Amino acid sequence: MARLPFLRRVALKTLPLRPGSSRALLLLLLRRPLSDVADDDPPFCPKPPGRAPRPRKEPAGSSPAGDPDRPVGPDLPFDFRYSYSETSAAVEPIGFREPRRFSPFGPGRIDRTWTGTSAPARVAPDPEKATGERERALGVPLSEEEVAELVERYRHSDCNRQINLGKGGVTHNMLDDIHNHWKRAEAVRIKCLGVPTLDMDNVCFHLEDKSGGKIIYHNINILLLYRGRHYDPKQKPIIPLMLWKPYAPIYPKLVKNVAEGLTFEETKEMRNRGLTSPPLMKLTRNGVYVNVVEKVREAFKTEEVVRLDCKYVGTSDCKLIGVKLRDLVPCVPILFKDEQIILWRGKRDTESTSTSHALP
């Protein structure tokens, strides 16, 4: 009703007034009652009878029963973390860089509480049940011929079923990518680069444990993750995605002013010796570090202090590498300066050597 005066004004201003002209025809049309033209107006036509509306497809990880107010209940039997292979639940942070009330999964999307580092499961996981479901999906182990066929199909660099694993390690959203590839392929190729390659066994463990698959091929930094004989894509677990990467919490200081077991002068001398010594290795950014741990262990048999040149790696990756080497070698990082890592082997080696010489 409100449109008619406006249309009359437009017609009177824009169209010429001549007998039989378009302006006269439009004025005659506008003078007709709405009841006569209601059936011919397309925007107000009723829908044809007998045609049911199409059901709306709910996205993966949405709320059950289509209720947006009800949070989703994931069926994965472990605590949600941003990275499973590069973080440890044994080390407690001393502070947070963002409020813990802001969950990276979004408000009200999961029925778990975000603690700042993880979203713990409400029910304690049952290891036997999880192991039984994984073995049921894997089925009978593959024969050597079947493994060779899968490896030949997916191991090449031009494989379109590939996931790149970077310094974040095995992340939470990567699990959803793996299951999406498993919908159309029996295995997925995973190329690992950066800090996680220091400990490939840890990467393989978390890939198998969190996805339910099995590593059937491991060559340096290339992995093939097999889904199993009885894997059903329709029974894919509900994996709510993280909407953003949470800020890393604040952990205790990695390098102390005085190394444990040394005095201040001895610590200063060790640092100067390390800076003036030739570098054991030169690391590159997003490189493959699978042999770094063994080389550092071999160097500590003859040297007390080792220097790693990380000029092109970056400051953040330098500290991550130092933390990994501290636990894997093991050793004591005593200095991070100008993208150089100085490692001290500690006093345990000298003490054990002196003890062995004292025994008869």
Side-chain angles (χ1 to χ4, degrees):
M1 297 291 292
R3 294 195 309 170
L4 293 181
F6 173 75
L7 292 176
R8 287 194 182 97
R9 288 196 300 270
V10 172
L12 291 173
K13 291 179 180 179
T14 58
L15 298 178
L17 185 58
R18 294 193 305 269
S21 64
S22 56
R23 179 180 175 183
L25 293 176
L26 180 59
L27 292 176
L28 290 176
L29 178 63
L30 294 177
R31 291 192 185 99
R32 295 174 58 187
L34 290 178
S35 59
D36 297 342
V37 299
D39 296 336
D40 301 330
D41 195 358
F44 300 97
C45 287
K47 294 182 179 180
R51 181 179 296 179
R54 293 182 180 180
R56 183 180 178 182
K57 184 178 180 180
E58 296 294 335
S62 60
S63 301
D67 186 2
D69 298 330
R70 182 182 174 187
V72 65
D75 52 359
L76 296 177
F78 51 82
D79 299 346
F80 291 169
R81 292 179 171 271
Y82 171 74
S83 176
Y84 297 105
S85 62
E86 305 307 305
T87 58
S88 175
V91 181
E92 292 292 334
I94 60 176
F96 298 93
R97 293 184 172 90
E98 61 181 355
R100 286 180 287 178
R101 64 179 181 273
F102 297 136
S103 171
F105 295 96
R109 293 185 67 245
I110 59 174
D111 59 349
R112 301 186 181 190
T113 303
W114 179 253
T115 63
T117 57
S118 65
R122 291 184 174 273
V123 181
D126 188 359
E128 297 181 357
K129 181 180 178 181
T131 303
E133 293 178 355
R134 179 172 180 267
E135 292 178 352
R136 194 180 308 112
L138 292 176
V140 181
L142 296 174
S143 62
E144 295 183 359
E145 293 78 9
E146 292 174 329
V147 172
E149 181 183 356
L150 290 174
V151 169
E152 183 62 26
R153 189 189 308 171
Y154 295 105
R155 72 179 178 87
H156 299 285
S157 59
D158 59 349
C159 175
N160 58 356
R161 299 299 173 187
Q162 175 175 308
I163 295 177
N164 294 326
L165 188 146
K167 73 174 185 179
V170 183
T171 59
H172 179 77
N173 288 356
M174 186 183 294
L175 303 180
D176 186 69
D177 296 337
I178 291 173
H179 284 280
N180 289 336
H181 280 291
W182 278 350
K183 289 180 180 179
R184 299 173 178 84
E186 295 182 78
V188 57
R189 183 178 189 263
I190 300 177
K191 183 178 181 181
C192 306
L193 296 173
V195 181
T197 57
L198 286 168
D199 191 3
M200 290 299 297
D201 293 337
N202 181 48
V203 173
C204 295
F205 168 76
H206 284 286
L207 283 174
E208 292 184 344
D209 182 61
K210 302 302 185 295
S211 68
K214 182 176 179 59
I215 301 292
I216 60 174
Y217 178 77
H218 180 191
N219 182 25
I220 308 178
N221 66 321
I222 303 299
L223 306 173
L224 288 186
L225 187 61
Y226 176 61
R227 67 181 185 181
R229 292 183 183 272
H230 307 301
Y231 177 81
D232 186 5
K234 297 181 180 179
Q235 300 297 326
K236 169 190 170 184
I238 300 176
I239 305 177
L241 299 180
M242 281 192 173
L243 304 183
W244 65 82
K245 177 182 176 180
Y247 285 103
I250 303 172
Y251 289 99
K253 194 175 181 180
L254 178 60
V255 178
K256 299 180 180 179
N257 294 332
V258 179
E260 186 177 356
L262 297 177
T263 63
F264 178 78
E265 289 76 12
E266 291 174 339
T267 304
K268 186 176 180 180
E269 180 186 358
M270 288 290 181
R271 289 169 178 167
N272 292 332
R273 285 173 53 187
L275 289 174
T276 56
S277 63
L280 176 65
M281 299 180 65
K282 291 186 178 182
L283 305 182
T284 59
R285 188 175 184 85
N286 291 332
V288 180
Y289 312 141
V290 292
N291 59 347
V292 174
V293 175
E294 289 299 327
K295 286 192 174 183
V296 173
R297 288 175 180 170
E298 290 293 328
F300 278 152
K301 292 180 180 179
T302 56
E303 301 291 338
E304 193 174 6
V305 181
V306 168
R307 177 167 72 96
L308 298 179
D309 187 358
C310 305
K311 185 176 181 180
Y312 303 102
V313 172
T315 305
S316 62
D317 285 6
C318 280
K319 294 185 178 180
L320 295 176
I321 292 172
V323 172
K324 287 269 189 180
L325 293 176
R326 179 194 63 183
D327 300 331
L328 296 174
V329 174
C331 59
V332 181
I334 58 176
L335 182 64
F336 292 92
K337 183 179 181 182
D338 298 332
E339 297 183 343
Q340 307 292 314
I341 302 177
I342 310 300
L343 303 173
W344 175 50
R345 67 181 179 183
K347 280 195 172 183
R348 59 189 180 281
D349 294 335
T350 57
E351 293 175 356
S352 61
T353 303
S354 60
T355 305
S356 61
H357 286 301
L359 292 176

